[in-house]
Amino acid sequence: MYNYVISACATAEKPEMAFLFKDEMDRKGLRANLKTFKALLDACATLGDVQKAQTLVMEMEEAGCPHRADTLAALIIAHKNQQAPSTDIVSDCETIMEASPKICQTDHVPVEVFNAMLTVCLSTHSFLRAEEFLEKMYETTLPNAKTSELHVQYYLKTSKFDEGVEVLLGKNLTEEKPFVSTYV
């Protein structure tokens, strides 16, 4: 029950409340599981609280919960949303990604992590870097519906409206990008 409430708080952008419920769990002796930690990491992402997110990842591993692609993606988004981001937030997030070799292998990066990196690139107007991530993704990973949405956002934000509409309608099909019509 607490996982649902914590997740709802994070989704409703009430991250402080999510941590209050986690504190109540601790007081009652209830053990956090992967769903709890993922919801709390989403709350940290909303807040842009990188330090708390990193602490949660350590707590998660101590509790026997594996650090996975979705938790790494939340950590990357926390970096994007921090109050005083560095001058090159994309490089900082890429360093985080590279520091997780169990999740991000050289020949395969999970789609959730690619999507988080695309989100960072688009929000910081790092369009050339977004293009690099899109190309790398097509080479190594099967994109999903979120990727399609981000890809269209890329076209729209780079004033390539006609190309974005083609992608959205599934008309821009090539061998490298067969997912578009499947997921849109």
Side-chain angles (χ1 to χ4, degrees), residues 65-126:
C65 298
H67 185 34
R68 308 178 323 182
D70 56 347
T71 57
L72 177 59
L75 188 58
I76 289 169
I77 298 301
H79 272 75
K80 177 189 85 66
N81 291 339
Q82 63 187 322
Q83 295 302 317
S86 73
T87 54
D88 191 1
I89 191 74
V90 177
S91 292
D92 290 351
C93 291
E94 196 167 23
T95 300
I96 293 165
M97 187 176 82
E98 292 167 355
S100 301
K102 290 181 183 177
I103 299 170
C104 299
Q105 301 155 2
T106 53
D107 61 338
H108 176 75
V109 175
V111 69
E112 298 94 332
V113 176
F114 268 125
N115 288 344
M117 291 303 298
L118 286 171
T119 300
V120 171
C121 290
L122 293 173
S123 70
T124 59
H125 301 276
S126 302

Side-chain angles (χ1 to χ4, degrees), residues 42-61:
D42 288 342
C44 289
T46 299
L47 284 171
D49 193 335
V50 175
Q51 188 171 4
K52 192 176 275 191
Q54 290 171 329
T55 300
L56 276 171
V57 168
M58 288 188 292
E59 283 180 36
M60 193 172 80
E61 290 173 341

